[in-house]
């Protein structure tokens, strides 16, 4: 319900709006920071719990986000996470 490519600040706000219509987040905690040889690339691991708004079903998942920087500014965030059961229609 919120998949796609979101660009710039307005795109990020659009993503947040669509995400908020899909899930109610009870907790989002950073559990790990993974660094690479590239100082402008960091991966964060998060633990996320909440419920699906459409069904009310609770969920718990792990999210990995690849953050890329240039000149001290974020240029890309790419999330990778385990699909929440019931969130993807077959």
């Amino acid at each position: 319900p919120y998949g796609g490519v979101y660009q710039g600040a307005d795109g990020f706000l659009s993503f947040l709006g669509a995400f908020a219509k899909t899930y109610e987040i009870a907790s989002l905690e950073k559990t790990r920071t993974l660094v690479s040889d590239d100082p402008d690339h960091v991966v964060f691991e998060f633990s996320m719990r909440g419920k699906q708004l459409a069904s009310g079903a609770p969920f718990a998942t792990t999210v990995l986000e690849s953050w890329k920087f240039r000149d001290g500014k974020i240029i890309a965030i790419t999330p990778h996470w385990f699909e929440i059961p019931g969130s993807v229609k077959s």
Side-chain angles (χ1 to χ4, degrees):
Y2 53 83
V5 175
Y6 298 89
Q7 296 183 349
D10 289 340
F12 182 68
L13 293 175
S14 293
F15 161 76
L16 287 179
F19 189 85
K21 291 177 183 175
T22 306
Y23 303 111
E24 180 180 302
I25 305 303
S27 68
L28 178 64
E29 299 176 22
K30 184 171 68 85
T31 54
R32 196 177 315 192
T33 301
L34 307 163
V35 296
S36 69
D37 293 336
D38 180 351
D40 290 328
H41 187 195
V42 178
V43 174
F44 298 104
E45 178 186 69
F46 298 92
S47 171
M48 184 169 68
R49 295 180 181 280
K51 72 176 180 178
Q52 297 175 42
L53 292 175
S55 68
F59 70 86
T61 191
T62 300
V63 181
L64 298 172
E65 290 183 349
S66 170
W67 289 52
K68 293 185 181 177
F69 300 87
R70 184 181 308 128
D71 300 325
K73 296 180 181 179
I74 300 168
I75 60 168
I77 301 172
T78 306
H80 302 274
W81 63 324
F82 294 100
E83 293 297 341
I84 297 168
S87 66
V88 178
K89 295 181 181 176
S90 322

